[in-house]
Amino acid sequence: MNNDKIKQYLEKLDYGPAPESDAKVKEWLRSYGSLFGHYINGTWQGPAKIGYFKTINPANLEVLARVAHGTVEDVNAAVEAAKNAFLSWSSLPGYKRAKYLYAIARAIAKNSRKFAVLESLNNGKPIRETRDFDIPQVIRNFYYYAGWAEILEKEYPKHEAGGVIAGIVPWNFPLMIATWKIAPAIAAGYTIVLKPSKTTPLSVLMLADLLMNEVKLPPGVVNIVTGKGDTGDLMVQHPDVWGIDFTGSTEVGKKIRTATAGSGKHLKLELGGKSPFIVFANADLDSAIEGVVNAIWFNQGHVCCAGSRLLVEESIYQEFVQRLKARMDKLRSGQQLDKAIDIGAIHSQDQLDTIIELVETGLKEGGEIYQPKGWIQPENGYYYPPTLFTNVNSANTVVQEEIFGPVLVCMSFRTPSEAIQLANNTRYGLAASVWSQDINVALDVARQMKAGTVWINDHNRFDAAAGFGGYRESGYGREGGREGMASVINENLVMDRFRREWNPEPKLKIDNAEYVDRTYRFLIGGKLARPDGATSFEIRSPENKLLGLVGDANRKDVRNAVEAARKAADSWADQSTHLRAQILYFLAENLAIHYKRFAGVIAKQTNVALKGEYNCSCLCEVKSAIELLFHYAAMADKFEGTVQPVPERMLVNAVKEPIGVIGIKAPDEFPLLGVIAPLASAIVMGNTVVMIAGKNALS
Ligand code: NAD
């Protein structure tokens, strides 16, 4: 290069194109004729029964491949294969399973550039991100869970893998989220059927190729079925599926929860979010501006925990917004394989339409937008410029709805408590970040965020060793960390232990004196309340003898109970674990004083003592309830959080927090124990409870 050219470049300091080659990926696609069946029982199935759908490159709409649409036969075959593999896989010693997970991690690492290019092509996200984030996370996940497979028997000696897991994943981090499902499941001895998103199945299919040809994972341990929502629904409904591990929208999460209610299927839901990004006046503003870029424009804002609600302290609001706009002007878009771009393509026409529609709604509701000056984007693909909304308030649609695109809304606050209120004013609770140089302010505000993850002076930072997951409509269960492992651990519940260990007890002599009827009331907000509808229902003995009447709650009673539980939630959660334990001990003591009375009532309701059902008398049920109260009281302050050093020079402080108000429907089976078990475990952890007793409600 001659001196003039060098001078020219230095004066301009402009970016030249720096494309990554897609040759190897195209070659891999051609080796399959760009046509994929399902990966079931260690082999490819085909041809598709009801046809194939196209999967494209959203940056230029080129068709990359065609992929089979999963039918009921395909789902049945995949579940059957997983079921057949389950016994031998789950009975392998943990260290042998670990060896496979290590092998998968290594095989992906050896092919990491191919995976990064394919992921970028199929999703539209910049190669810089798939190369430096998605694929390194995928590899780390397998290494991390290989470690868990190794130590599982020691850490969770009571764990028994339950069966087949159905993993259903979205399109925003197609392979990374798939490995959040696959790695912990196979580490813990489950087998899995996984469905990638309709639009981004290719990287998961490349993984299948690797499992079959390089890793030689035993057939049936991992099965991949491709398809749309209907295929996912077939997996959810399948009777031989033990549990569902779902990541996706809150809307579909709710449908899955409804579909599985009462089925006993283990369920983990990782859903949507609208996460706050709070900047205090004493924050390092340069870092905070870069933090915003990473929080909302990483992956075009297609990030469940994107910092999509920017809250800035009023005294620096104007300055911060000006600086942010100046930074937005420097963002670059282009073809996703160009290593020097910041913003890639929106992943589909549907998603682009949703973003456009929500921005129009925001404008109609009075918001103002800023988009970078002189913004240039490719013409053929699905692109949308980075967008900043100001002049909005908490009631606006764009402030409440998850846009799932490069759109940020910005509001100001005056005091830390206003920031907390604004931040928590959402139906979601996935993540938040707090930006301040004052550690006291940062920690105090972080503690009060109703969010699964709170970053301090950072955002969108992940590691396999750090638990991640939501509150409220962002779902429940965790990915990563000990918490992520615990999400698939299947230990016999304490209740089961009591059930197994109960011994026959001398039968209780039932006092046959006539039952004295009393007005039963609800316990709401510490007071005994009469049913609002002035109605009640009968409790009868197995011989159909009337034992008493209990209140029949209507909508208003439930509302009052929820309101009372909500009101008590914050102060109860703030109580020390010691105090909560003391309350359970006190309850246990009182139950012990009145144990004969309780046992008598249980006997009348269920006749258990007379029939010897469950090999246990009613006295034994009361005794077990007392033991259980002691057990949970003892656990109250043994359930500490952890401080975890994770590789990326950060310290993760994981604390166990209450969920909030929990609604519990007690089972009919054990009238007292069925109430005490869920109630004690919930309140001892700082939750408040609205509980409906089972049909034998007198005890
Ligand atoms: P989506 O809910 O539309 O689809 C997710 C998956 O569910 C897809 O594989 C889809 O085919 C399948 N599906 C659709 N209907 C189904 C049904 N009735 N039964 C079973 N499966 C069904 O979500 P999406 O558009 O692919 O992804 C975006 C959403 O995912 C956003 O809301 C985002 O916040 C959320 N997300 C959450 C996390 C998290 O960890 N919390 C991570 C990434 C994405």
Side-chain angles (χ1 to χ4, degrees):
M1 201 182 292
N2 64 37
N3 286 348
D4 282 352
K5 219 156 193 172
I6 294 174
K7 190 163 172 260
Q8 211 183 355
Y9 280 132
L10 283 174
E11 275 166 4
K12 227 166 134 212
L13 274 186
D14 206 1
Y15 292 94
E20 176 72 53
S21 165
D22 63 5
K24 285 196 169 156
V25 165
K26 291 281 171 69
E27 196 185 308
W28 177 76
L29 289 169
R30 273 196 303 275
S31 75
Y32 276 88
S34 301
L35 195 72
F36 290 87
H38 312 291
Y39 174 70
I40 297 175
N41 206 24
T43 154
W44 295 103
Q45 309 289 314
K49 315 228 172 19
I50 56 165
Y52 295 85
F53 53 84
K54 291 176 192 158
T55 179
I56 63 160
N57 172 353
N60 60 15
L61 314 194
E62 173 198 1
V63 176
L64 295 172
R66 288 186 305 135
V67 173
H69 187 167
T71 62
V72 65
E73 291 85 8
D74 299 321
V75 170
N76 287 348
V79 175
E80 187 66 21
K83 231 174 97 182
N84 291 340
F86 174 70
L87 207 59
S88 50
W89 183 250
S90 58
S91 48
L92 268 190
Y95 72 91
K96 288 204 173 160
R97 290 201 300 270
K99 276 170 80 176
Y100 281 104
L101 279 112
Y102 284 125
I104 300 172
R106 288 203 193 95
I108 298 173
K110 277 189 262 168
N111 293 280
S112 63
R113 194 50 63 97
K114 237 164 72 180
F115 274 103
V117 170
L118 181 63
E119 194 73 308
S120 173
L121 277 182
N122 199 194
N123 173 281
K125 62 171 86 186
I127 179 74
R128 193 172 48 81
E129 294 180 4
T130 55
R131 182 197 61 196
D132 299 345
F133 179 78
D134 293 58
I135 306 306
Q137 290 287 325
V138 166
I139 298 166
R140 168 103 178 105
N141 281 339
F142 279 110
Y143 277 129
Y144 179 75
Y145 283 103
W148 267 113
E150 190 92 41
I151 60 174
L152 201 67
E153 285 141 27
K154 180 175 154 283
E155 293 290 311
Y156 293 101
K158 285 197 274 166
H159 163 71
E160 281 169 28
V164 177
I165 289 191
I168 302 174
V169 297
W171 48 261
N172 58 335
F173 294 96
L175 190 59
M176 187 189 85
I177 296 179
T179 61
W180 277 354
K181 314 299 176 200
I182 296 172
I186 65 174
Y190 296 85
T191 53
I192 184 165
V193 177
L194 183 116
K195 189 191 89 60
S197 168
K198 168 190 100 174
T199 44
T200 53
L202 294 179
S203 53
V204 171
L205 293 171
M206 187 183 262
L207 174 68
D209 178 327
L210 207 84
L211 297 180
M212 181 165 85
N213 295 315
E214 288 193 35
V215 177
K216 308 212 184 305
L217 189 72
V221 174
V222 174
N223 305 274
I224 311 292
V225 174
T226 48
K228 308 180 183 177
D230 55 340
T231 310
D233 186 44
L234 289 168
M235 290 162 62
V236 169
Q237 306 278 357
H238 199 292
D240 290 337
V241 162
W242 175 85
I244 293 128
D245 193 347
F246 173 79
T247 297
S249 60
T250 296
E251 189 193 345
V252 173
K254 285 181 180 173
K255 281 190 196 161
I256 293 178
R257 188 152 176 179
T258 308
T260 50
S263 68
K265 283 181 183 163
H266 183 88
L267 187 58
K268 176 148 144 277
L269 297 174
E270 303 287 352
L271 311 176
K274 188 81 185 178
S275 301
F277 184 111
I278 306 171
V279 186
F280 285 94
N282 58 12
D284 171 351
L285 297 192
D286 290 329
S287 305
I289 296 279
E290 286 313 304
V292 173
V293 171
N294 181 46
I296 184 67
W297 293 307
F298 169 58
N299 201 20
Q300 296 73 246
H302 302 324
V303 182
C304 48
C305 50
S308 51
R309 279 187 301 138
L310 174 60
L311 305 173
V312 184
E313 191 163 349
E314 199 177 76
S315 58
I316 55 155
Y317 178 81
Q318 295 299 346
E319 182 197 347
F320 196 83
V321 168
Q322 283 317 316
R323 285 169 75 160
L324 184 57
K325 286 178 178 172
R327 180 67 181 90
M328 288 171 75
D329 290 342
K330 301 268 185 243
L331 293 172
R332 301 181 74 242
S333 180
Q335 290 296 331
Q336 74 272 59
L337 292 187
D338 184 338
K339 287 173 236 165
I341 65 156
D342 302 299
I343 312 272
I346 300 300
H347 113 293
S348 68
Q349 179 72 57
D350 283 355
Q351 192 59 28
L352 183 60
D353 292 345
T354 307
I355 295 168
I356 293 171
E357 197 184 316
L358 279 164
V359 170
E360 278 168 6
T361 307
L363 289 169
K364 274 190 213 134
E365 290 178 3
E368 291 164 14
I369 58 168
Y370 182 81
Q371 293 175 332
K373 284 194 203 105
W375 179 252
I376 302 169
Q377 64 187 31
E379 279 172 10
N380 295 334
Y382 306 132
Y383 282 85
Y384 197 84
T387 301
L388 170 67
F389 256 106
T390 51
N391 200 31
V392 289
N393 62 57
S394 288
N396 290 154
T397 309
V398 285
V399 176
Q400 289 301 329
E401 292 299 316
E402 181 188 44
I403 299 174
F404 220 57
V407 183
L408 174 67
V409 299
C410 180
M411 296 189 288
S412 67
F413 65 86
R414 288 188 178 163
T415 60
S417 65
E418 191 190 357
I420 292 161
Q421 276 184 12
L422 284 171
N424 288 338
N425 184 6
T426 167
R427 64 193 169 108
Y428 297 109
L430 194 55
S433 63
V434 185
W435 295 75
S436 167
Q437 293 297 91
D438 181 336
I439 189 72
N440 293 334
V441 170
L443 287 176
D444 188 46
V445 172
R447 190 179 60 84
Q448 295 180 70
M449 289 294 99
K450 296 285 177 225
T453 298
V454 186
W455 291 282
I456 293 179
N457 296 328
D458 208 342
H459 202 105
N460 277 348
R461 183 80 74 157
F462 295 90
D463 185 81
F468 176 79
Y471 264 57
R472 307 199 273 214
E473 292 201 16
S474 291
Y476 58 83
R478 292 290 179 265
E479 312 276 18
R482 181 175 281 271
E483 304 84 352
M485 196 69 244
S487 293
V488 289
I489 289 299
N490 180 37
E491 285 180 322
N492 291 320
L493 297 173
V494 180
M495 277 273 289
D496 288 344
R497 197 183 91 214
F498 284 114
R499 192 174 298 175
R500 273 189 283 122
E501 290 175 4
W502 273 338
N503 292 316
E505 287 261 327
K507 284 177 186 169
L508 178 70
K509 211 164 161 269
I510 296 178
D511 172 12
N512 276 328
E514 270 313 298
Y515 196 83
V516 182
D517 195 19
R518 283 188 278 146
T519 314
Y520 282 91
R521 302 189 190 168
F522 307 127
L523 179 64
I524 297 180
K527 296 190 188 122
L528 293 172
R530 287 176 191 281
D532 172 71
T535 52
S536 50
F537 61 89
E538 295 174 348
I539 305 269
R540 290 185 172 272
S541 71
E543 298 84 21
N544 208 24
K545 190 168 150 202
L546 180 65
L547 297 176
L549 295 171
V550 296
D552 197 2
N554 65 13
R555 205 184 168 85
K556 187 153 177 256
D557 296 312
V558 173
R559 205 181 56 211
N560 290 344
V562 173
E563 202 177 308
R566 182 71 208 88
K567 216 162 133 193
D570 289 345
S571 62
W572 180 243
D574 258 359
Q575 299 299 339
S576 69
T577 46
H578 174 75
L579 182 128
R580 294 201 292 258
Q582 290 302 311
I583 289 175
L584 290 202
Y585 286 132
F586 188 64
L587 191 57
E589 281 165 24
N590 275 284
L591 205 51
I593 294 169
H594 301 290
Y595 78 99
K596 279 195 181 160
R597 226 179 79 210
F598 274 93
V601 176
I602 296 171
K604 280 173 190 272
Q605 290 175 143
T606 60
N607 231 350
V608 165
L610 303 179
K611 288 186 183 151
E613 212 178 330
Y614 307 122
N615 200 20
C616 172
S617 74
C618 310
L619 265 183
C620 185
E621 180 169 344
V622 183
K623 218 178 87 187
S624 298
I626 296 166
E627 280 178 31
L628 205 57
L629 284 166
F630 273 92
H631 171 83
Y632 284 122
M635 287 294 288
D637 51 6
K638 311 295 176 310
F639 219 54
E640 64 276 306
T642 53
V643 177
Q644 298 150 347
V646 292
E648 281 205 45
R649 286 190 296 134
M650 59 174 177
L651 215 50
V652 174
N653 190 353
V655 278
K656 308 268 196 296
E657 288 188 344
I659 297 167
V661 179
I662 302 185
I664 300 174
K665 166 79 176 75
D668 297 331
E669 194 185 10
F670 299 105
L672 183 65
L673 199 53
V675 169
I676 295 290
L679 182 72
S681 56
I683 63 174
V684 82
M685 288 304 296
N687 301 290
T688 53
V689 167
V690 176
M691 174 159 240
I692 307 173
K695 80 171 196 280
N696 295 312
L698 290 181
S699 45

